[in-house]
Amino acid sequence: MSRAGFRSVALGVAWRQIHNFIFNPAFLVPSLIFPLFFFAAFAGGLSTVSKVPSFNFPTGYTAFQFVFVVLQSAAFGGVFSGFSVARDFETGFARRFMLTAPNRAAIIVGYSMAALTRALLTWSLLIVVALIAGMKIDGNGVDLFGLFGLALIVNIGASLWSTGVAMRIRSIQGGPLMQIPVFLLLFMAPVYVPLPLLSGWIHAVASVNPTTALLQAGRGFISGNPTGVLVAFGAAIGLALVFAFWARGGLRRAEAAS
Amino acid sequence: MSSVLFTQIGHVARRSVVRTLRQPAQIVPSLVFPMMLLAINASGLQRVTKIPGFPTNSFVTFALAIPFMQGALFSVMNAGTDLARDIETGFLNRLALTPLRGAALLIGLLAGALVLGVVQAICFLLVGLAAGASFAAGMPGVLVLVALSMLITLGFGAIGLVAALRTGSGEAVQGLFPLLFVFLFLSSMNLPRNLIQTDWFRHVATYNPVSYLIEGIRSLLVTGWDGEALALGFGIAAAIAVLGMVAASAALKTRLVRT
């Protein structure tokens, strides 16, 4: 199959997903509104947490939580693409896709491109709201590029994870299996306070959770003091590669079943 | 109320309870998800208890009120989705041909949610105790807590019935869940209102009825016997239940006219 053929399949799948997302309020509204509510609830409702003794993040609690919400919306934006895959299998549309696409890996790429577009829309809205809310950014343009670059890789990784699940289960009933591991990975990290302020089992789990590295690097970027950048990008790229193989395996299963 | 009405309620309630207990997909998430969030938040936010003025030194005690509210939110889904399925499959139309009274149908339909609510309350209390939570109001407080929790479940279950009757769609009822979660997140669930620093958030939390439901439950765990918090909690829960049942009754009449 030519490179142009691969590209046209990927773009076709992506365009359909993006069109469905933009013109269906049931898809558009939750993915735009939810990150904003999380941001409001965490940055607004928990801003007093910055007064906890030894809490030290000079850029402010709004920026501290902004990084988490960006990474969370990246991950869940990716997970939603698994829902689309599952729905397409339930309606039989995915099987027609598979009949027409000579290289079916392009289908996965198309879903991932749509997930990325969704995440970019969400982040645009999120950053506008955060700036209106008075969020401080001490990092420069390169730092912000690093933060959103990290989020972009997380989005691709989550998209590949959920696509792999959806292609194995081929039903929307697999939704909890796509979401819960991502939810646990995200929340078993230093979400509300920095890692040194966590104690007990959550500290032990957060210390080995790759999300901690992502959060710490992201918070370093926004405060203009990048730390653990290589570890964070290594973890994000490593997960994305593992999930690429996972998604490819899912595609093989779906091909065998159809 | 005549004995016929009680008999009708009994039949519908039995079906509702059996149906709920036969669906692990309804029971498991409504038990596991709130406890998972409790575990994560109680550990992640334990340091918050060091903030001057925080009412307890145990965040798990403070946060134990939240699973009760989350459990009540699941009752919207469970009661509403079951009724929506009855509408979608035509079962409600067949029921409409029988002499079954509307009140019996609505009360009976909430039985499944209430039984699940009791199971949830017991589980949350046991897990809370195991995690080191304390009950300032003692054993009588536990009984009052379960009663308040049941009333909240009844109220939110009635909202689920209204949604099902108005839309006739399980998908639409499921769509309500995130909206209700917003009420939970924009409340005093994570901090007492007087410690919320951001002005707009404190105002929203003050006007949000969910704050008072949580504070009613929380008062029994943290403070002991706080008459004002309990009166507000029971009053708001009762108001939601009454308004919910009135709205569900009106929606049922409209739905039956349509069929």
Side-chain angles (χ1 to χ4, degrees):
Chain A
M1 187 196 185
S2 69
R3 193 176 290 179
F6 186 94
R7 196 171 56 221
S8 77
V9 171
L11 288 175
V13 173
W15 171 248
R16 176 176 173 271
Q17 293 306 318
I18 293 165
H19 181 274
N20 285 349
F21 167 70
I22 290 174
F23 290 98
N24 190 339
F27 299 147
L28 179 68
V29 175
S31 61
L32 290 182
I33 296 294
F34 271 110
L36 292 181
F37 275 118
F38 273 111
F39 182 58
F42 290 170
L46 288 169
S47 55
T48 318
V49 173
S50 61
K51 289 188 174 161
V52 167
S54 306
F55 186 102
N56 185 22
F57 192 74
T59 312
Y61 199 71
T62 307
F64 187 84
Q65 282 302 344
F66 176 78
V67 172
F68 174 72
V69 177
V70 165
L71 291 176
Q72 188 202 32
S73 61
F76 277 97
V79 166
F80 285 149
S81 72
F83 292 173
S84 306
V85 176
R87 197 172 43 248
D88 284 344
F89 270 103
E90 281 189 342
T91 58
F93 200 85
R95 286 192 174 83
R96 297 205 289 279
F97 259 161
M98 289 172 73
L99 276 176
T100 52
N103 185 341
R104 289 154 184 165
I107 297 174
I108 296 177
V109 173
Y111 281 114
S112 297
M113 285 165 68
L116 202 57
T117 310
R118 274 199 302 230
L120 288 172
L121 275 174
T122 307
W123 296 337
S124 307
L125 186 64
L126 194 60
I127 199 157
V128 169
V129 171
L131 290 174
I132 291 170
M135 182 180 76
K136 264 172 53 184
I137 300 174
D138 291 332
N140 56 30
V142 177
D143 292 331
L144 287 185
F145 189 78
L147 168 62
F148 285 101
L150 204 53
L152 193 140
I153 300 169
V154 168
N155 177 266
I156 293 170
S159 177
L160 291 168
W161 153 255
S162 64
T163 303
V165 175
M167 287 194 162
R168 281 171 172 83
I169 296 179
R170 297 180 291 280
S171 162
I172 199 73
Q173 285 179 336
L177 197 56
M178 297 176 213
Q179 286 187 85
I180 291 175
V182 175
F183 178 88
L184 289 176
L185 262 182
L186 281 169
F187 277 87
M188 287 182 178
V191 176
Y192 306 113
V193 289
L195 184 64
L197 294 186
L198 291 178
S199 55
W201 71 270
I202 192 88
H203 183 270
V205 175
S207 300
V208 293
N209 183 349
T211 311
T212 302
L214 304 179
L215 278 172
Q216 286 177 333
R219 285 167 182 160
F221 282 131
I222 208 161
S223 61
N225 182 26
T227 44
V229 175
L230 277 179
V231 176
F233 273 93
I237 292 169
L239 283 173
L241 283 174
V242 168
F243 293 141
F245 283 109
W246 167 255
R248 192 164 155 267
L251 180 63
R252 297 282 172 268
R253 293 267 193 96
E255 283 173 337
S258 58
Chain B
M1 235 192 273
S2 67
S3 62
V4 176
L5 183 63
F6 279 118
T7 311
Q8 290 180 348
I9 291 173
H11 285 306
V12 180
R14 186 178 170 279
R15 176 175 177 268
S16 171
V17 172
V18 169
R19 196 182 191 189
T20 302
L21 296 178
R22 280 182 182 163
Q23 294 183 81
Q26 279 195 358
I27 299 170
V28 176
S30 63
L31 287 175
V32 173
F33 194 68
M35 286 195 272
M36 210 165 69
L37 271 181
L38 174 71
I40 291 169
N41 283 350
S43 305
L45 285 167
Q46 176 58 34
R47 290 273 173 163
V48 167
T49 57
K50 308 275 184 219
I51 294 172
F54 198 83
T56 169
N57 56 8
S58 158
F59 197 82
V60 73
T61 304
F62 183 82
L64 188 56
I66 303 167
F68 289 92
M69 268 314 302
Q70 286 169 336
L73 295 186
F74 274 101
S75 74
V76 176
M77 299 301 102
N78 295 343
T81 310
D82 283 349
L83 177 57
R85 199 175 302 137
D86 283 345
I87 295 168
E88 284 169 339
T89 57
F91 186 77
L92 188 73
N93 290 350
R94 295 202 294 281
L95 274 185
L97 296 172
T98 70
L100 181 71
R101 292 186 202 173
L105 178 67
L106 295 178
I107 297 167
L109 279 170
L110 289 172
L114 282 174
V115 167
L116 184 55
V118 173
V119 173
Q120 284 173 333
I122 293 167
C123 281
F124 298 153
L125 284 169
L126 291 176
V127 168
L129 267 177
S134 55
F135 297 95
M139 195 55 203
V142 170
L143 298 176
V144 174
L145 192 153
V146 173
L148 178 54
S149 159
M150 289 300 93
L151 191 57
I152 296 170
T153 301
L154 185 74
F156 279 87
I159 293 173
L161 295 185
V162 177
L165 288 163
R166 288 272 173 220
T167 63
S169 151
E171 205 177 338
V173 175
Q174 295 283 342
L176 253 186
F177 190 62
L179 182 70
L180 292 169
F181 239 83
V182 168
F183 278 94
L184 184 64
F185 271 101
L186 297 181
S187 72
S188 54
M189 68 176 247
N190 282 326
L191 281 175
R193 272 181 293 134
N194 62 323
L195 290 186
I196 296 175
Q197 196 172 259
T198 311
D199 288 342
W200 71 264
F201 194 95
R202 194 173 54 252
H203 291 312
V204 171
T206 302
Y207 288 108
N208 182 351
V210 171
S211 292
Y212 299 97
L213 299 176
I214 291 176
E215 286 165 16
I217 295 173
R218 185 175 283 156
S219 70
L220 293 162
L221 298 162
V222 175
T223 320
W225 296 99
D226 179 343
E228 188 186 343
L230 285 175
L232 280 167
F234 272 98
I236 289 172
I240 293 172
V242 170
L243 289 174
M245 288 306 277
V246 169
S249 182
L252 180 64
K253 279 182 192 149
T254 314
R255 169 68 53 188
L256 292 180
V257 167
R258 266 188 236 161
T259 57

